[in-house]
Amino acid sequence: MDYRVIKEDDLFLLTDKQGDIPAADEYGLGLYSKDTRFLSRFELLIHDVKPVLLSSSAEENDLATIRLTNPPIEGRLWRESVEIKRQRLIYEGGLYETITLTNFYPKAVTLELSVRFDADFLDMFIVRGFMKGRTGEKTATVADEEGNRLIFGYIGADGVKRETRITWDVPHSGIEEGGTVRFSFTLAPKESQAIRFFIAPYVDDRGPVQYPMETAVQALEASYEEWLGQSAQVESDMPLFDKLYQRGVQDLRVLLTDLGYGRFPVAGLPWYAVPFGRDSLIAALQMLSSNREVARGTLLTMAQYQGTKQDEWRDEQPGKIMHEIRFGELAGSNQVPFTPYYGTIDATPLFLILLIEYYHWSGDLALVGQLLPHVERALDWIKQWGDRDGDEFVEYHRESAKGIANQGWKDSDDSVVHENGDYAISPIALVEVQGYVYQAKLQLVPILRQLGRIELADRLEQEAEALRQRFEADFWMEDEEFYAIALDHEKKQVRSVTSNPGHALMSGIMSDERAAKVAKRLVAPDLFSGYGIRTMSTESSGYNPMSYHDGSVWPHDNSLCMLGLAKLGFGDEAGTVISGLLQAARGFEYYRLPELFCGYDDSLGAPVAYPVACSPQAWAAGTPLVFLQVMLGITPDAVSRTIRFHPVLPDGMNELTARNLQVGEGCLSVHVLREAQKPDVFTLEVLENTTGYGIQME
């Protein structure tokens, strides 16, 4: 990572490795809240010279420590005389930074430290160069000399008053026009002195409360300890997996946000720290084996923002689950449709799938009943708006002038490409979306019957079968022995070989024979790089190992393929994918799987990073949690109140212990052991079972 980022709830700070936000930075560094940059400059200088970086870690997401020292400054400081330590955290909407200066020179030194601040209040879309728009005006900067305070202000085109208020706790030696604050220190040998800054975003005069630094640190650390205690713990004889799993659990914690309906994961840092329908739903689905309460918060949040009307500007229809919410100036002034925006074809069936899976893990039929009106509206959307031509398939078509053209998870403009190189024209029916719809309808049937909704259950069962038959007839490419990525506006196959059909494996929509061929192809050399399943086959015309969606490797994409492989009994293939991603993790800082990486094969000796991948990113962080689910082969069933196990450990792992798996009314802890004389045979020892569910070993 060439940047450093910390986040808590809605506020995040993105800096360079020195901890700075340089003026006129091109990457978009800053302090952000509500899709607004509240700090666009934050530079630390010693005698007006940039310090030298000693160390900078991105391992922790909640607390950051950066160590610097001085370069030689003629007539003032011998080189490396002073250590400058920057410690920072975010707590309850405010940024806390402590700068500690320690003199390691054998004599007393006098030095001047200056900190340069500015705030441009730019909307996230403008910072990233995605859109231009009508903006507001900055107000006069207020320098409160006596109160140790600096205030930047802005009145937006949306009529919202925004401010950045900066305070510090030691006397300054001057505040210059433009936002530079100077401090003078005299330090005896080995003496340390510190300045504590508090930087607070304000919106319409509402801002955070400042706490003592120690209080904020203790509360934040306690919150992380509580999160780890609530989540499932693992221990295996493969330290790499243990590290990767712990990394994923920790990264998911920093990505949690609460809009008032329970915690849910935002998509990723730095640019997608907002609610995303598809991303949040998939990440919550990945987390079920580790922390199912996140799924509850995600479901309630998505239900709250479910579409209620037809609105072409926002690609909204009644019953549709949103794609993305933005809270910045452009959204507030209706210059972009993200308030929320609904241009996603898969979030609605994924909402249903997450509710189904959450029920099986929790047995919480009450929540299913509470959300049943939302379920029915989602089903109505699938039938009426998702399938406008009545051919059984759910298709997308952009109506918004500023919406997204491709509305599946591969949402770049070039992601759905014919074998002749032409891009498919919408309406487009994606292969995996048909699987999601089939899975949602069929798996709702027994739950609806429990709730006495027999007529609806019977209807869904019939619709699922009709979809299955049509799917098999129209998507299968006989010459490729694989499914097409999509059907275009003329119902012609888009004949690229991609990872998308791997998602449909978990739905059960494929015949056994064809599912076996898909499983085999996913780990064949043209799709499998050695580090993971590529988004597109090297033999397809659109393949590009450096592309965003046409040849790269996405960990979350692999995780959904793995769920299907494991569910259908393709343990060897699932193990191959796990092993590849484990090896890929070795090539990334702190064993953190990024959003994606390039699709070059493993003959290069290390994965090739994608230049602007988000990290941490929710569904990448959730991928190691799916490893756990696949390795255990665990399938809870709340209807029959049973938990089925079919363990499959990857090569190099012979035992695995998982504790505090939240199922039913309690917890489950198990130990899996590979038999020494029979490497394909595993034994399961139940260490604890307070779930109220019975155990079945398959």
Side-chain angles (χ1 to χ4, degrees), residues 203-240:
V203 176
D204 285 337
D205 294 317
R206 295 188 301 273
V209 173
Q210 182 177 0
Y211 297 90
M213 180 73 163
E214 294 76 10
T215 300
V217 170
Q218 290 170 7
L220 195 58
E221 289 179 341
S223 172
Y224 269 75
E225 289 175 5
E226 180 183 15
W227 166 254
L228 294 174
Q230 292 171 346
S231 302
Q233 292 92 45
V234 304
E235 183 180 355
S236 75
D237 58 350
M238 183 182 284
L240 176 60

Side-chain angles (χ1 to χ4, degrees), residues 337-354:
F338 295 83
T339 58
Y341 175 63
Y342 290 84
T344 169
I345 195 62
D346 48 10
T348 305
L350 285 168
F351 171 79
L352 299 174
I353 290 172
L354 180 62

Side-chain angles (χ1 to χ4, degrees), residues 598-649:
C598 293
Y600 296 102
D601 65 52
D602 58 0
S603 65
L604 297 181
V608 176
Y610 187 79
V612 292
C614 285
S615 183
Q617 205 257 6
W619 56 18
T623 296
L625 280 61
V626 174
F627 289 177
L628 175 63
Q629 188 174 342
V630 169
M631 290 172 182
L632 294 175
I634 181 172
T635 307
D637 186 334
V639 176
S640 64
R641 296 182 66 79
T642 58
I643 305 171
R644 295 189 299 276
F645 284 93
H646 186 77
V648 178
L649 301 184

Side-chain angles (χ1 to χ4, degrees), residues 533-593:
I533 301 168
R534 297 182 177 96
T535 46
M536 182 178 285
S537 165
T538 57
E539 297 175 0
S540 292
S541 60
Y543 170 73
N544 176 352
M546 302 170 289
S547 77
Y548 197 55
H549 287 131
D550 295 336
S552 55
V553 176
W554 288 64
H556 96 277
D557 181 30
N558 281 247
S559 77
L560 294 180
C561 293
M562 281 190 291
L563 285 173
L565 290 169
K567 182 177 181 179
L568 297 180
F570 300 111
D572 289 344
E573 289 82 356
T576 295
V577 178
I578 290 174
S579 295
L581 288 171
L582 285 169
Q583 291 308 310
R586 294 183 186 275
F588 295 105
E589 193 174 31
Y590 311 119
Y591 302 100
R592 178 183 277 133
L593 286 171

Side-chain angles (χ1 to χ4, degrees), residues 75-117:
R76 294 187 175 185
L77 279 178
W78 187 259
R79 67 185 187 191
E80 297 108 31
S81 296
V82 178
E83 179 196 66
I84 307 165
K85 183 166 66 174
R86 307 179 73 169
Q87 295 174 296
R88 55 178 50 154
L89 63 92
I90 292 171
Y91 181 66
E92 292 197 357
L95 170 64
Y96 296 74
E97 172 137 350
T98 299
I99 300 173
T100 304
L101 306 172
T102 302
N103 177 21
F104 286 98
Y105 193 66
K107 294 183 180 181
V109 298
T110 298
L111 55 90
E112 183 181 75
L113 189 78
S114 58
V115 187
R116 296 177 179 175
F117 295 104

Side-chain angles (χ1 to χ4, degrees), residues 184-456:
S184 183
F185 295 92
T186 298
L187 300 174
K190 303 298 191 294
E191 182 184 3
S192 296
Q193 292 187 34
I195 318 170
R196 293 185 174 184
F197 289 93
F198 181 64
I199 303 172
Y202 273 70
V203 176
D204 285 337
D205 294 317
R206 295 188 301 273
V209 173
Q210 182 177 0
Y211 297 90
M213 180 73 163
E214 294 76 10
T215 300
V217 170
Q218 290 170 7
L220 195 58
E221 289 179 341
S223 172
Y224 269 75
E225 289 175 5
E226 180 183 15
W227 166 254
L228 294 174
Q230 292 171 346
S231 302
Q233 292 92 45
V234 304
E235 183 180 355
S236 75
D237 58 350
M238 183 182 284
L240 176 60
F241 165 69
D242 296 358
K243 290 177 181 177
L244 190 59
Y245 178 86
Q246 294 302 326
R247 176 82 270 155
V249 171
Q250 181 177 324
D251 284 349
L252 285 163
R253 165 60 184 81
V254 78
L255 294 169
L256 297 181
T257 294
D258 190 341
L259 297 182
Y261 313 100
R263 293 193 295 185
F264 68 94
V266 298
L269 295 177
W271 305 124
Y272 300 104
V274 294
F276 270 75
R278 173 194 310 118
D279 299 56
S280 298
L281 289 162
I282 288 177
L285 185 69
Q286 293 172 315
M287 295 172 68
L288 281 169
S289 63
S290 183
N291 193 311
R292 71 185 185 206
E293 286 308 301
V294 172
R296 181 183 179 89
T298 305
L299 289 164
L300 291 171
T301 301
M302 296 302 153
Q304 180 65 29
Y305 290 97
Q306 189 172 26
T308 59
K309 62 185 182 297
Q310 185 178 4
D311 182 347
E312 290 187 358
W313 170 240
R314 301 193 300 163
D315 277 329
E316 177 184 4
Q317 296 102 31
K320 195 175 187 181
I321 299 299
M322 69 156 183
H323 171 64
E324 177 183 359
I325 306 178
R326 292 288 177 172
F327 302 96
E329 181 179 13
L330 296 188
S333 55
N334 205 37
Q335 296 181 70
V336 295
F338 295 83
T339 58
Y341 175 63
Y342 290 84
T344 169
I345 195 62
D346 48 10
T348 305
L350 285 168
F351 171 79
L352 299 174
I353 290 172
L354 180 62
L355 178 59
I356 292 163
E357 292 300 319
Y358 169 77
Y359 167 62
H360 286 306
W361 281 89
S362 67
D364 187 358
L365 196 59
L367 183 66
V368 179
Q370 177 185 337
L371 294 179
L372 192 56
H374 298 277
V375 169
E376 294 186 89
R377 288 197 286 272
L379 290 168
D380 288 345
W381 177 84
I382 288 170
K383 189 173 183 66
Q384 179 179 352
W385 297 98
D387 180 17
R388 297 192 199 188
D389 59 3
D391 68 344
E392 308 294 344
F393 297 134
V394 172
E395 302 107 347
Y396 64 81
H397 176 70
R398 179 182 64 184
E399 295 175 337
S400 174
K402 290 191 176 181
I404 297 171
N406 280 324
Q407 297 183 358
W409 85 261
K410 295 177 179 176
D411 56 5
S412 52
D413 290 346
D414 63 348
S415 63
V416 187
V417 56
H418 284 284
E419 57 187 344
N420 68 357
D422 291 343
Y423 299 143
I425 298 172
S426 67
I428 293 173
L430 290 169
V431 62
E432 74 273 18
V433 173
Q434 316 317 314
Y436 297 156
V437 171
Y438 176 83
Q439 181 176 351
K441 288 184 174 183
L442 198 61
Q443 293 185 2
L444 274 170
V445 169
I447 301 172
L448 290 170
R449 286 177 176 154
Q450 271 192 303
L451 294 169
R453 300 297 304 274
I454 306 302
E455 184 177 343
L456 178 57

